[in-house]
Structure formats: C-alpha cells, structure tokens
Amino acid sequence: MSANLNILKSFANEYKEQNSIKEIVYEDGLVGDIKKTIDKLLDEKFHPSIQLQSVLNKQLRRARYPMEVAITGQFSAGKSTFLNALLSRNILPTGITPVTSKVNFINYGEDFKLKITYYSGAQEFAPIESIADFTDQRQDDMKNIKYLTLYAPLPILKEISFVDTPGLNSQSQSDTDVTRRVLKDVGGIIWLTLIDNAGKLSEAQVLEEYMQHFKNKSLCVLNQKDKLTPEQVITTTNYVKEKFSKYFAKVVPISAIKALEGRAKEKDILIEDENINLLTQLKKELLTKDIEDSADIEKLLTEHKNKIKSIRLSDTSSNIKLLEDSNIQEVLDFIETTIRPQASEAKEFAIKKDLRSFCDILIKEYETIIKVYDALVEVLESCEKKVEEAFENIHKKYSKELFNIYNSLETVMEKIASETFKNIKRKKSVRFEESKSLFGEKIEKFEYETFWIDSDAVYKALFYDDQTVDKMFKRSIKLLKNIELDTDEAFRDVYRLIKSDVVKWQEPYELIRKQREIASDIEFSNTRHFAAKVYENVLKAFHKAILENISALRKKFAYFNGALSYSYIQTTQATIAHFEQQIIESEELYKKEPSRFSISHPREDEIVAKLKANFGFEKIEDFLTSKRNYLFKIIKYSKEQYLDINKDRIEFIKNKKEQYLQKIKDLEKIKEEI
C-alpha cells in the first residue's frame, strides 16, 4: 500500500513540475532588459514575423557587441600605424601612399582572419597577411568591395571594436560618405592628424563639415610628436586645443611609432602572442598527426613554458620608457574614462529607442488592420437606413397592387351576385289550408307567389356565353403571381444592396499587405482571409434570412393562388344551391304558418356575402387589403430580423477588432516598460 502511495506521490510531483510555469530570470543590465523585451514582442499572440525576430536578434547582438571607436582623419596621418599601436601588433598595412580605401572593422575572433564583404552581398575569407591586397585603392578591382572585417584573438577587442576609415579627404566621394555614416554611429571618435600639419585651414574646413556634432565623444590625437621639441609639442598642442575646441573634448600629442614599438614588447602582449602561437601549433599537430603520438606536443608545451618564463624574466625598462615617451596611455585613458561611459549610455539609449520604434511600427500595422474592421462596421451601419427604406418601399408598392387585385376579385363577386340576383324569378304556387265551418272541416286552396333561381341562366350568362368572369379570375391570378415574383426579386434586391456595399469594402482588403517588414505576416494573412471569406463571416446570415422570408412569402402566395384557382363555378353553384335551399325552407315555413313567416327573397348584398364566405374571401381580404396584412407582417419581421443580424454581425466584427485593440494595449505597455 505504501509503495503504491509513493508511486502516486512521485507521479503527482513529476506532473506538477512539468506543468508548472517557471518564472524566467533575466540577467541584470542592458542585455537582460533587451531579452525581456524580445520575449514579450515574440509572444505567440502577436504572431511575430521572421523579420521581427531578425531585427530583435540584431539588437541583442548590438547590445553584446563591444563599443566601437572610429579612427579617422586626413590621409597620410598614420592611422594604420596608430591602430597597430592600440592593438600592440603590426597588423594593418602602412606606407607613404594612402592605401586604406575601405572601412576596416577590427573585431574579436578566435583566429586571425580577414572577411571581405562585397556590394553584391557575397563574402569570402582570406589570410590576415593578405589584407594589403584588399585595401590598396590603387587596385582597380577594389571598387566591388564594400568593407573588410579583420578578426583577431586579442583581449582588447573583446571590449573595443575599432573602425579604420578612409580619410575624409579621400579621392572617392563614396568613401567619404561611408566615413561620415560611421562617425555618426560609433561610440567614440579619434581624429588623427600630423602634429606639424595640425591647425591648418584645410583641416579646419574638413572638421567644420564633418566633426562639428561629435565633440563629446571625440579625441584629437597629434601624431609624430617625436619630430618636435618638447616646447614645440606644448605650443602646438595648446594652439590646437584653442583653435579646435568646439570639435574635441581633448587634444593629445603622441608618437604612434614609439607606442607600437613599446606596446608590442610588453610582457602581457608577448605572452598573449606566445599563447596564440601555441594554440595554432597545437591545432596543426592535432590535424596532421596521430593524437596518440604525443612527443611533438610535449615538446611544444615545454618550449612554450620556457618562452613564457624568459619573457617574465626579461627587462622591460626600455619599453616603459618608450610608452611614456609615446604618451599612448592618455589615449587609452580617454577611451576608458570618457568614450566608454558615453558609448554605453548612447548604445542603451539607441537600442531602447529602436525597440520602442519597433513597438510603434507594430502598433501602426495593427491600427491598419483595425481600420479594415472599422470600415466594415461603417458599411453595415450605413446600410441600415437604406435597407429599412427598401423594405418600406416593398410594402408600399406591393400593398397597392394587392389592393387592386382585391378590388378586381370583389368586382367578380359582385358581378356573380348581380347575375344571380337578376335570375331570381317569381312563380305562382298554391298551398292548402284546413278550415272549420258550420258545414264541417274543409280544405281551402290558396295561391301565393314564390321564387326560384334560374341557375342555368346564371351559368350561361356568367360562364358559357360570356367568359368575362373567367378572364377576370385568370387576370387576378396572373397579377398575384407577378406580385409574388416581383416581391421575391425585391427581397433579393435588399440583399444585393447589402452585398454590393460589402463587396466594395472587400475588394481592396483581399489584397492588403503589411507596410513594414517586421509586421506580422500571419496577422495580415488572417485579415486577407477574413476579407476573402466575408460571405461566410457576414453576408451568409443576411442571405439566409432573406431566402427564408422569400420562402415564407411564397408559401402564402401559393395558398392564395390555390384559393383563387379553386373552381369559381363550383363556388357559384354552392352559393346558388344555398339560396335555393333557403327559399325552399322559407317556403315550407310559410306554407305552415303564413302569418308568421315569409318566403325568402335573397338580396344582392346577401348573395355577395355568401359568395365571399364560400370563397374564403375573409382570408383573401386580410391578405390583400388589411393594414396589417401578410406582406406587412413579413416586411415587419424581415426588418426586425435584419436589424438583429446586423447588430450581431457588427458585434462579431467589433470582437475581432477588440483582439487587435488588446494587442495594441499590450504593445503600448511593453513600450512603456522599455
């Protein structure tokens, strides 16, 4: 028993663990904030597009990406040498001729390699040693290259990504335009100029055109200070500070050559180089030789250990002096204390601004979808008055025509009654009555005048010699059928009235597409589908109701058509027979008690009344002439039914719209929380 209980407890705990909603814990900082926002924007309820996922992932990569520092200036200022000094390695090509004609992104990578990105979108990789082949603007085929990315396993690149730009006085306007865009986007700018050329008018003009908006994140570096005396360096530096104060936060004189020489021989840098060399050799050994043969590997490790030991024991005093003379530390300090905080703040501001703009785009796209539903609601609401008027017009028009049929039928009744009345003829008859006298009982004979209906004459006059009555009946039946067909079509026209406006609404929205790439494909597909299926979603209910009302009206017309088609000759015969019987019965009573009874002589109005009764004229009259006749009732019911359906469909559409309004509220909340 206890074993079974333990199994049940285990099952319950496992089920609870699997089905419990675990709270996601996000890391502190910008990356965590972005992840949280991304998860909200990629919620399934928004049916996110692949494009949205892509741009959001780019923002995440952007947050993780090191801050970017651009190295720019005029050509031949020693940018490549300066960058090599910052990297502590002689990686970028240098020379007297202005060779850097493309933007070079210098990023962290596990291995040294070069990626070439072309304007066509194609990419290729090359050894880092061949970088000069792709940066020399003197080569004709360089125009197809968009930019270069240099990857190196250097620790500094985990924190900073450098951007080596073409000079702002490049011979190529496109290169200058690229540099301008880079300066706008990077976290910091280092303007490199030769100390003996600094402050010239030509440079001032370039700075005025390109650098006037970047002071807070810009450093002016005066290269080749080793060419001047210390006094000249101080004088020139102060002059540049004063002249270019509106472009730079700081001006620093350096010697890039000394900086490169000193940094390249720093113990940490030399150890890094040895570690990189070791990893390269190990990879080579593992790929080309049997792993079990470890002698070469052990030899490599031993040599590496000895080299590291030698580096750590080496004298670095000369390197320290070179670094002090180069003044490169001031550049590094500016990057760390000025550029980094601003870049971090600017990046956070820019990313969050972009995330909010994504929310705005999605909201606007949802508003576009909402307008689709609003437009349909407007169509259905605007139809109400037209549809009600159309129903009223059906009643007004065909009520008059039904009344005309009634008058025609009543004329027929009156004609039959008149002809019947005319053929009520008198005849002599006798009765016998017993009487008492002195001589005893005797039977006396009395003559009296009675009536009889010459039915043959009536039938002959109405139906045989003259076919007027037959024609009048057939004409009434035909008119009734025409009214039936016309009202049928009039009811269909009411539906067509609704359908026409809805189809006009449908046409543009069957093809609606998102305006912005990041918007949801599924949401717009659903909207197109809704528009394409507007008959099933909206019109079908109206159509079904109209057809049901037409069917009900047809049944009523069929009933009255049958009533009118019923043998009017037989109805006349039944009416005449009724009055003949009435005369006979009254005559019998008269013969028995002449003082109390009289012989019936049917009046014309009585004949009309009996004809109508035999013909079921009361129902016909109610159908044809009553203010609340059957047509009125059908129209009244149809209007009420239409209004109910319209209200229901409008509510249905508004519920669809409400889903998107809720999504907009959710997006606005996400935007507020960014």
Side-chain angles (χ1 to χ4, degrees):
M1 181 70 179
S2 60
N4 291 336
L5 187 62
N6 289 333
I7 292 171
L8 284 172
K9 283 182 179 178
S10 175
F11 175 78
N13 290 332
E14 185 178 345
Y15 178 84
K16 185 176 179 181
E17 184 179 346
Q18 288 178 353
N19 291 277
S20 61
I21 299 173
K22 296 180 181 179
E23 183 180 355
I24 301 173
V25 179
Y26 296 96
E27 60 194 276
D28 292 332
L30 179 60
V31 171
D33 291 343
I34 293 171
K35 280 184 178 179
K36 188 187 297 183
T37 301
I38 288 174
D39 287 347
K40 290 176 181 177
L41 289 176
L42 295 182
D43 191 298
E44 288 182 3
K45 68 184 176 185
F46 296 122
H47 302 294
S49 65
I50 294 173
Q51 293 88 346
L52 177 63
Q53 294 178 42
S54 175
V55 298
L56 291 175
N57 288 334
K58 282 181 181 178
Q59 295 302 316
L60 193 57
R61 290 195 298 272
R62 183 180 174 191
R64 289 172 170 157
Y65 197 78
M67 69 169 176
E68 287 188 314
V69 176
I71 314 299
T72 191
Q74 294 180 297
F75 267 120
S76 302
K79 290 198 310 299
S80 297
T81 303
F82 174 67
L83 257 172
N84 286 336
L86 292 177
L87 296 173
S88 305
R89 281 137 180 109
N90 205 352
I91 295 173
L92 296 172
T94 59
I96 297 173
T97 305
V99 292
T100 306
S101 64
K102 298 296 173 185
V103 173
N104 298 327
F105 294 93
I106 306 171
N107 297 340
Y108 179 81
E110 294 298 327
D111 299 299
F112 284 102
K113 60 183 175 181
L114 180 67
K115 182 174 75 175
I116 303 97
T117 301
Y118 294 91
Y119 282 104
S120 65
Q123 294 179 338
E124 69 171 297
F125 288 90
I128 198 167
E129 295 79 15
S130 63
I131 187 171
D133 297 335
F134 300 98
T135 57
D136 192 340
Q137 67 178 5
R138 294 167 294 184
Q139 302 294 326
D140 292 335
D141 56 352
M142 291 302 100
K143 62 182 180 180
N144 297 321
I145 297 174
K146 188 174 183 181
Y147 60 86
L148 305 173
T149 308
L150 186 152
Y151 296 97
L154 307 179
I156 190 173
L157 295 177
K158 290 182 178 180
E159 302 291 330
I160 305 171
S161 177
F162 292 106
V163 187
D164 184 16
T165 70
L168 287 170
N169 58 344
S170 167
Q171 297 174 4
S172 168
Q173 183 59 42
S174 64
D175 292 342
T176 301
D177 292 339
V178 168
T179 300
R180 187 203 299 261
R181 287 196 296 272
V182 168
L183 298 183
K184 182 180 177 183
D185 295 334
V186 295
I189 300 170
I190 295 178
W191 174 271
L192 194 69
T193 185
L194 295 176
I195 195 167
D196 53 356
N197 286 331
K200 289 187 176 180
L201 180 62
S202 59
E203 190 170 36
Q205 290 172 341
V206 173
L207 291 172
E208 180 67 27
E209 184 175 357
Y210 298 107
M211 294 289 292
Q212 58 178 323
H213 303 298
F214 308 127
K215 174 179 177 177
N216 291 338
K217 65 177 182 180
S218 297
L219 171 70
C220 179
V221 173
L222 307 177
N223 192 16
Q224 296 183 357
K225 81 180 188 72
D226 49 295
K227 289 187 175 182
L228 303 180
T229 65
E231 293 76 13
Q232 288 174 324
V233 169
I234 293 171
T235 302
T236 304
T237 302
N238 289 336
Y239 170 74
V240 173
K241 283 181 181 178
E242 181 181 347
K243 186 173 180 62
F244 294 155
S245 60
K246 65 178 180 177
Y247 306 120
F248 305 111
K250 191 172 184 179
V251 178
V252 175
I254 69 156
S255 170
I257 293 281
K258 288 184 177 181
L260 174 59
E261 186 180 352
R263 282 174 63 79
K265 293 180 181 178
E266 284 185 302
K267 288 184 179 182
D268 290 344
I269 301 301
L270 293 173
I271 290 171
E272 280 176 23
D273 286 344
E274 285 303 324
N275 289 335
I276 292 169
N277 289 334
L278 174 65
L279 289 173
T280 303
Q281 290 297 319
L282 284 173
K283 286 179 184 178
K284 184 177 179 182
E285 290 292 326
L286 292 171
L287 288 172
T288 58
K289 295 184 179 180
D290 191 342
I291 295 176
E292 293 180 359
D293 184 8
S294 59
D296 289 341
I297 294 176
E298 288 181 5
K299 182 180 177 183
L300 282 173
L301 292 174
T302 302
E303 289 177 356
H304 174 72
K305 188 184 293 185
N306 292 332
K307 287 178 181 178
I308 297 298
K309 184 178 179 181
S310 175
I311 291 170
R312 284 176 176 161
L313 294 173
S314 63
D315 181 12
T316 59
S317 57
S318 61
N319 292 345
I320 293 171
K321 182 69 170 62
L322 279 172
L323 290 173
E324 287 177 354
D325 289 345
S326 73
N327 203 31
I328 194 67
Q329 191 59 44
E330 273 203 65
V331 175
L332 297 173
D333 290 344
F334 184 86
I335 291 172
E336 186 62 31
T337 61
T338 302
I339 292 178
R340 184 184 294 280
Q342 289 187 51
S344 177
E345 184 179 336
K347 180 194 288 186
E348 182 171 350
F349 176 81
I351 290 175
K352 290 185 175 180
K353 181 182 177 184
D354 284 348
L355 290 174
R356 284 190 286 268
S357 73
F358 298 155
C359 291
D360 288 334
I361 289 169
L362 296 176
I363 287 170
K364 285 187 179 298
E365 294 292 274
Y366 277 127
E367 287 172 347
T368 298
I369 292 174
I370 285 171
K371 287 176 183 177
V372 174
Y373 292 99
D374 280 340
L376 184 54
V377 168
E378 187 178 339
V379 166
L380 295 183
E381 287 177 343
S382 65
C383 273
E384 280 193 4
K385 187 176 180 181
K386 292 189 289 185
V387 170
E388 287 187 283
E389 286 178 356
F391 277 128
E392 285 296 329
N393 290 334
I394 292 172
H395 179 250
K396 287 177 185 177
K397 179 177 179 180
Y398 296 106
S399 287
K400 290 178 182 178
E401 295 191 17
L402 291 174
F403 191 79
N404 291 336
I405 292 176
Y406 172 79
N407 287 337
S408 176
L409 292 174
E410 193 169 46
T411 300
V412 173
M413 296 296 108
E414 289 171 353
K415 182 173 180 61
I416 293 172
S418 174
E419 194 62 39
T420 302
F421 184 75
K422 281 194 305 181
N423 282 285
I424 298 174
K425 297 182 179 178
R426 297 174 184 272
K427 69 177 181 176
K428 298 292 183 178
S429 187
V430 294
R431 69 181 177 83
F432 299 93
E433 185 178 316
E434 291 183 359
S435 63
K436 295 179 181 180
S437 65
L438 294 174
F439 304 103
E441 293 183 356
K442 68 173 183 178
I443 297 175
E444 291 186 76
K445 180 181 179 183
F446 293 94
E447 190 177 86
Y448 65 91
E449 193 177 63
T450 186
F451 309 99
W452 68 285
I453 301 174
D454 188 351
S455 57
D456 288 340
V458 173
Y459 303 146
K460 188 174 183 297
L462 290 174
F463 310 125
Y464 305 141
D465 290 346
D466 187 353
Q467 295 184 342
T468 302
V469 171
D470 184 64
K471 289 177 182 178
M472 290 177 74
F473 263 103
K474 287 181 178 178
R475 179 175 175 275
S476 296
I477 291 170
K478 184 178 180 182
L479 285 173
L480 193 64
K481 188 63 180 175
N482 287 340
I483 292 173
E484 178 189 346
L485 295 173
D486 290 345
T487 51
D488 182 316
E489 195 63 22
F491 268 80
R492 293 178 190 276
D493 283 341
V494 172
Y495 168 70
R496 292 185 188 113
L497 187 68
I498 304 167
K499 181 183 177 182
S500 174
D501 285 355
V502 171
V503 168
K504 285 178 185 175
W505 165 88
Q506 178 189 36
E507 287 173 355
Y509 297 125
E510 277 187 304
L511 303 173
I512 191 170
R513 292 286 186 275
K514 63 183 185 180
Q515 298 299 308
R516 302 293 293 271
E517 277 296 308
I518 67 170
S520 169
D521 296 289
I522 293 175
E523 297 284 28
F524 277 85
S525 174
N526 290 341
T527 305
R528 290 193 299 275
H529 184 74
F530 178 85
K533 295 289 183 180
V534 74
Y535 176 80
E536 290 81 356
N537 291 325
V538 177
L539 290 175
K540 187 177 181 179
F542 294 113
H543 197 195
K544 182 181 177 183
I546 287 289
L547 293 178
E548 287 173 353
N549 295 332
I550 288 172
S551 178
L553 203 55
R554 279 180 178 175
K555 288 177 183 176
K556 204 66 179 177
F557 273 112
Y559 169 79
F560 288 108
N561 189 57
L564 293 179
S565 300
Y566 179 72
S567 176
Y568 44 85
I569 296 176
Q570 290 177 353
T571 303
T572 304
Q573 288 174 338
T575 303
I576 290 173
H578 167 77
F579 285 109
E580 285 178 334
Q581 184 63 30
Q582 190 181 72
I583 291 170
I584 291 169
E585 289 175 356
S586 68
E587 190 175 354
E588 289 298 321
L589 291 171
Y590 172 77
K591 285 194 285 186
K592 290 178 182 179
E593 297 184 62
S595 61
R596 286 185 61 195
F597 299 101
S598 60
I599 298 171
S600 175
H601 184 285
R603 299 191 310 274
E604 190 171 344
D605 61 330
E606 289 178 321
I607 299 171
V608 170
K610 188 60 182 174
L611 277 167
K612 287 182 176 180
N614 287 341
F615 214 80
F617 216 76
E618 185 178 343
K619 290 184 178 178
I620 293 175
E621 184 176 11
D622 182 60
F623 178 72
L624 298 176
T625 66
S626 169
K627 288 183 179 179
R628 298 182 65 81
N629 60 27
Y630 192 74
L631 182 60
F632 170 83
K633 291 175 183 176
I634 285 284
I635 293 292
K636 183 174 182 292
Y637 173 75
S638 297
K639 283 199 294 184
E640 291 172 352
Q641 187 186 36
Y642 159 72
L643 291 172
D644 286 342
I645 292 171
N646 207 40
K647 182 180 178 182
D648 175 73
R649 292 298 84 192
I650 288 173
E651 196 62 34
F652 167 73
I653 296 163
K654 285 183 176 178
N655 286 338
K656 287 275 188 184
K657 168 187 167 182
E658 188 60 37
Q659 297 172 17
Y660 295 108
L661 287 173
Q662 184 57 51
K663 290 178 182 180
I664 287 176
K665 288 179 183 176
D666 293 341
L667 285 169
E668 287 173 341
K669 186 178 179 182
I670 293 170
K671 180 182 174 183
E672 288 174 7
E673 292 173 351
I674 293 174

